[in-house]
């Protein structure tokens, strides 16, 4: 008899020998195992083209747990639930043996026909796999059938629609879990609590008190070995369409009437519908793109983007985007949401800075300026919030000084923070799609992005236009300066 915590399922991972499976999925499943969410009634099938035995696969799974403290204790037992099936997803016949193995494991582990299919493969295979799952009868079981897919979800609205249609031939919308791993991050999920559990925050969360909001997702690394994919994608599609617009929608949405998947999603969709779509010249005014050149960082000479492996030497692909978004509704009219993301920047961090309006006048004499209050939400590498306030400097006179009220997780606490993938896989096993992207959100985001991309493909910028180790091109600074603001410093401690 399974206990309440335990989730029963057969988890089939397409792309079971790949990087994502090894680095993220197996360690995440292991954590679910040690916490009792996966126990006796689960099995994992890894599939890929290589000819591996179950034993060899289990060794690989155990190797993937090497960095987890104390993992050796339960690794053997955990890995014993793993099975390998050599399988070319384009080849109809191998689905038969995969199906037989699935049915066998279903019976052996008493899984009640619950099936989770994880597509950890290139998206061009998604449609074929979904169709075969349906046509070969994998979903003809009594339990649940859920599909988890990785980004990118299309290249534009049209290709995303085609992909969605092919998935929908086999799965209902409520069975499709589109991963946006940012949504699994602790502090992204905390946005709702910070907003809706604190009256002093939610009552100020509007255009009467907020001056501007800034979202930064900065990376220090370049494209590494992802040149082929990235050169077709660029920062706009790789980061803005999904992660950044998801974060913006969580910040901008109205309070949902209940914290259910459907109600939260409805509010996020309404926020995205209010996002002002830019056309023609407006794109150049409100969107800045950049591409990193070569340069020295920490005594090391780094290549320019165009010199990276598998990148066109004349590439016009952006590795940096900054933009001013406007949400045209009563709550946000007039409040810019500045966003920026890029590779080879000075720091690796994800941070949201909510800038409150200045007090109406400075009562404190001839000091230059009282810094405005800022609420910073640190998403990574630190997790927490910092509230920037002004207080009196101790001593004579009325001199003000800034202080920070911090709630930032120490690295000790962070070890206990579940990884985004762990949370999301558990959500999927439980049937909770709140922190996955719904098709309505994906399609609205693509519609917005397509308008930007349409203008950018017809024009060229003078690339490269920023140095590694900087925070992007100077135009990104000018974008906020011309509105009288500045980017809030990004902290990576
Ligand atoms: P990968 O290239 O390391 O792995 C791909 C897997 O697919 C391998 O197991 C390979 O054997 C298998 N495969 C390829 N062709 C096959 C075929 N015809 N039949 C059966 N198996 C086949 O890729 P990855 O980095 O693990 O990424 C997988 C997916 O996850 C991609 O959609 C990627 O965009 C996405 N993703 C990856 C990461 C990451 O950290 N690696 C992060 C976010 C999203």
């Amino acid at each position: 008899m399974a206990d309440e915590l335990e989730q029963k399922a057969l988890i089939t991972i397409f792309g079971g020998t790949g990087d994502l499976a090894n680095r993220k999925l197996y360690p995440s499943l292991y954590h679910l195992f040690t916490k009792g969410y996966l126990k006796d009634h689960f099995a994992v099938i890894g599939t890929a083209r290589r000819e591996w035995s179950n034993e060899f696969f289990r060794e690989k799974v155990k190797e993937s747990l090497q960095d987890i403290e104390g993992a050796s204790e339960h690794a053997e037992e955990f890995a014993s639930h793993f099975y390998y099936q050599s399988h070319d997803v384009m080849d109809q016949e191998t689905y038969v043996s995969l199906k037989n193995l699935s049915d066998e494991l279903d019976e052996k582990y008493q899984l009640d026909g619950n099936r989770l299919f994880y597509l950890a493969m290139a998206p061009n295979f998604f449609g074929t796999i979904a169709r075969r799952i349906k046509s070969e009868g994998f979903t003809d079981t009594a339990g649940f059938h859920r599909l988890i897919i990785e980004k990118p979800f299309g290249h534009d609205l049209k290709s995303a629609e085609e992909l969605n249609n092919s998935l929908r031939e086999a799965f209902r919308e409520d069975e499709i879990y589109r991963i946006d791993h940012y949504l699994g991050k602790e502090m992204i999920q905390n946005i709702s609590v910070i907003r809706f559990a604190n009256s002093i925050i939610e009552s100020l969360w509007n255009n009467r008190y907020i001056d501007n909001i800034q979202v930064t997702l900065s990376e220090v690394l370049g494209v590494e070995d992802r040149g082929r994919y990235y050169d077709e994608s660029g920062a706009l599609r790789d980061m803005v369409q999904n992660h950044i617009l998801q974060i913006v929608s969580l910040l901008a949405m109205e309070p949902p009437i209940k914290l259910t998947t459907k109600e939260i999603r409805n509010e996020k969709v309404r926020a995205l519908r209010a996002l002002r779509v830019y056309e023609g010249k407006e794109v150049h005014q409100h969107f800045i793109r950049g591409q990193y050149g070569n340069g020295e960082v920490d005594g090391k000479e780094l290549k320019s983007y165009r010199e990276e492996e598998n990148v066109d030497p004349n590439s016009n692909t952006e590795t940096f985007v900054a933009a001013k978004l406007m949400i045209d509704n009563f709550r946000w009219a007039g409040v810019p949401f500045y966003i920026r993301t890029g590779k080879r920047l000075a720091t690796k961090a994800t941070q949201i800075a909510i800038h409150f309006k200045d007090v109406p006048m400075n009562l404190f004499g001839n000091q230059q300026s009282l810094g405005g209050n800022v609420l910073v939400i640190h998403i990574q590498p630190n997790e927490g919030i910092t509230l920037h306030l002004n207080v009196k400097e101790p001593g004579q006179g009325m001199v003000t000084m800034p202080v920070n009220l911090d709630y930032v997780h120490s690295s000790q606490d962070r070890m206990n923070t579940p990884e985004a993938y762990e949370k999301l896989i558990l959500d999927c096993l439980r049937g909770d799609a709140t922190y996955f992207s719904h098709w309505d959100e994906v399609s609205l985001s693509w519609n917005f992005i397509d308008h930007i991309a349409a203008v950018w493909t017809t024009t060229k910028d003078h690339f490269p236009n920023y140095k590694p180790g900087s925070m992007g091109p100077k135009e990104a600074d000018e974008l906020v300066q011309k509105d009288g603001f500045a980017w809030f410093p990004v902290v990576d401690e």
Side-chain angles (χ1 to χ4, degrees):
M1 182 77 182
D3 62 32
E4 257 174 51
L5 210 58
E6 185 182 7
Q7 309 296 313
K8 285 185 182 187
L10 172 65
I11 303 169
T12 305
I13 300 182
F14 291 85
T17 62
D19 174 67
L20 181 76
N22 272 300
R23 274 192 319 111
K24 301 286 182 190
L25 306 187
Y26 302 147
S28 299
L29 290 171
Y30 179 75
H31 286 301
L32 294 178
F33 178 72
T34 54
K35 290 174 185 171
Y37 295 113
L38 296 176
K39 211 170 162 189
D40 303 320
H41 302 280
F42 85 100
V44 179
I45 305 181
T47 83
R49 273 183 305 194
R50 288 176 214 177
E51 300 281 344
W52 282 5
S53 65
N54 285 342
E55 288 66 35
F56 188 75
F57 180 46
R58 287 171 191 170
E59 285 308 313
K60 288 282 174 195
V61 170
K62 282 188 270 178
E63 272 173 34
S64 75
L65 311 176
Q66 268 169 356
D67 292 342
I68 304 175
E69 217 175 297
S72 52
E73 212 182 311
H74 305 288
E76 199 64 49
E77 190 192 342
F78 171 69
S80 73
H81 289 254
F82 282 65
Y83 296 79
Y84 186 79
Q85 175 72 53
S86 169
H87 165 68
D88 185 331
V89 297
M90 302 310 283
D91 171 13
Q92 188 177 351
E93 284 178 14
T94 53
Y95 283 89
V96 176
S97 16
L98 186 60
K99 162 88 168 41
N100 291 341
L101 177 61
S102 305
D103 294 344
E104 223 174 88
L105 296 177
D106 204 328
E107 206 175 306
K108 177 169 177 183
Y109 290 95
Q110 297 159 34
L111 304 176
D112 296 348
N114 291 335
R115 293 186 175 179
L116 193 165
F117 305 93
Y118 201 120
L119 308 194
M121 293 185 59
N124 53 313
F125 294 116
F126 291 176
T128 310
I129 302 173
R131 256 182 246 117
R132 289 276 175 245
I133 286 175
K134 176 85 181 167
S135 68
E136 303 308 311
F138 285 78
T139 52
D140 297 343
T141 58
F144 67 67
H145 311 112
R146 296 178 190 143
L147 181 75
I148 301 191
I149 51 173
E150 279 293 335
K151 76 168 192 181
F153 198 88
H155 183 75
D156 51 20
L157 182 56
K158 185 166 170 289
S159 58
E161 269 169 350
E162 284 165 7
L163 174 57
N164 202 48
N165 291 342
S166 66
L167 298 180
R168 289 298 303 275
E169 282 177 34
F171 293 91
R172 299 189 308 261
E173 171 62 31
D174 66 330
E175 294 174 324
I176 303 174
Y177 288 71
R178 299 175 192 82
I179 284 252
D180 182 328
H181 65 277
Y182 272 78
L183 295 183
K185 291 186 190 291
E186 181 70 13
M187 288 306 295
I188 293 291
Q189 301 196 350
N190 209 342
I191 292 174
S192 299
V193 182
I194 293 169
R195 285 188 58 187
F196 306 132
N198 295 293
S199 63
I200 59 162
I201 292 184
E202 185 54 24
S203 54
L204 303 179
W205 206 261
N206 58 53
N207 53 7
R208 270 169 291 152
Y209 300 103
I210 291 179
D211 232 358
N212 70 91
I213 291 182
Q214 302 180 2
V215 179
T216 300
L217 275 67
S218 61
E219 294 175 87
V220 168
L221 293 178
V223 284
E224 308 297 297
D225 53 4
R226 291 173 74 220
R228 198 183 308 279
Y229 158 74
Y230 197 87
D231 209 31
E232 293 292 315
S233 160
L236 185 68
R237 293 182 170 93
D238 192 45
M239 299 299 280
V240 182
Q241 183 271 333
N242 36 46
H243 313 312
I244 290 192
L245 290 184
Q246 282 289 335
I247 294 173
V248 167
S249 68
L250 283 169
L251 292 168
M253 72 179 188
E254 292 300 313
I257 55 170
K258 277 192 231 137
L259 277 183
T260 58
T261 303
K262 188 164 162 244
E263 297 301 341
I264 294 174
R265 173 169 299 151
N266 284 347
E267 297 306 338
K268 283 169 70 193
V269 165
R270 276 154 54 95
L272 289 171
R273 280 173 48 209
L275 188 60
R276 189 181 302 171
V277 175
Y278 297 129
E279 316 242 2
K281 266 198 222 140
E282 290 171 334
V283 171
H284 297 301
Q285 282 163 12
H286 303 306
F287 264 78
I288 306 298
R289 58 182 159 167
Q291 189 191 75
Y292 61 83
N294 55 12
E296 202 184 289
V297 176
D298 296 334
K300 209 172 144 199
E301 187 59 33
L302 298 171
K303 284 184 199 166
S304 70
Y305 175 70
R306 289 176 177 177
E307 292 165 321
E308 301 275 17
E309 209 178 312
N310 296 320
V311 169
D312 176 353
N314 299 311
S315 175
N316 199 38
T317 298
E318 76 288 349
T319 59
F320 176 94
V321 176
K324 172 180 171 178
L325 310 182
M326 299 303 291
I327 308 235
D328 291 325
N329 61 19
F330 258 53
R331 185 184 283 264
W332 295 116
V335 180
F337 282 64
Y338 298 108
I339 57 155
R340 62 178 168 168
T341 183
K343 294 198 177 290
R344 283 266 183 263
L345 299 182
T347 49
K348 173 176 168 56
T350 303
Q351 176 181 289
I352 299 163
I354 321 288
H355 291 247
F356 291 90
K357 292 196 168 159
D358 283 343
V359 286
M361 61 180 282
N362 183 350
L363 289 173
F364 302 97
N366 51 8
Q367 296 171 35
Q368 301 143 349
S369 121
L370 289 170
N373 299 139
V374 182
L375 175 69
V376 179
I377 305 177
H378 310 273
I379 314 291
Q380 64 180 20
N382 280 338
E383 295 175 346
I385 52 174
T386 306
L387 181 58
H388 295 249
L389 298 173
N390 296 306
V391 297
K392 180 183 170 300
E393 201 174 274
Q396 297 294 336
M398 282 301 256
V399 180
T400 66
M401 68 172 197
V403 291
N404 299 344
L405 300 188
D406 264 334
Y407 166 70
V408 181
H409 294 211
S410 70
S411 54
Q412 182 77 41
D413 290 342
R414 258 187 284 136
M415 280 166 64
N416 296 328
T417 308
E419 259 259 25
Y421 275 94
E422 181 190 330
K423 280 182 185 232
L424 293 172
I425 294 171
L426 180 60
D427 281 356
C428 179
L429 286 166
R430 288 171 159 166
D432 181 350
T434 309
Y435 289 103
F436 292 81
S437 319
H438 187 272
W439 169 245
D440 292 347
E441 300 164 43
V442 174
S443 58
L444 281 164
S445 307
W446 272 127
N447 178 51
F448 176 78
I449 293 297
D450 280 359
H451 282 78
I452 315 299
V455 174
W456 278 0
T457 45
T458 58
T459 50
K460 276 195 184 329
D461 271 50
H462 297 292
F463 286 164
N465 60 354
Y466 71 95
K467 285 275 176 208
S470 69
M471 279 309 277
K474 66 176 187 344
E475 290 80 1
D477 294 330
E478 290 162 8
L479 178 79
V480 289
Q481 282 159 4
K482 70 185 177 198
D483 292 338
F485 304 124
W487 289 107
F488 195 77
V490 175
V491 190
D492 72 336
E493 287 157 38

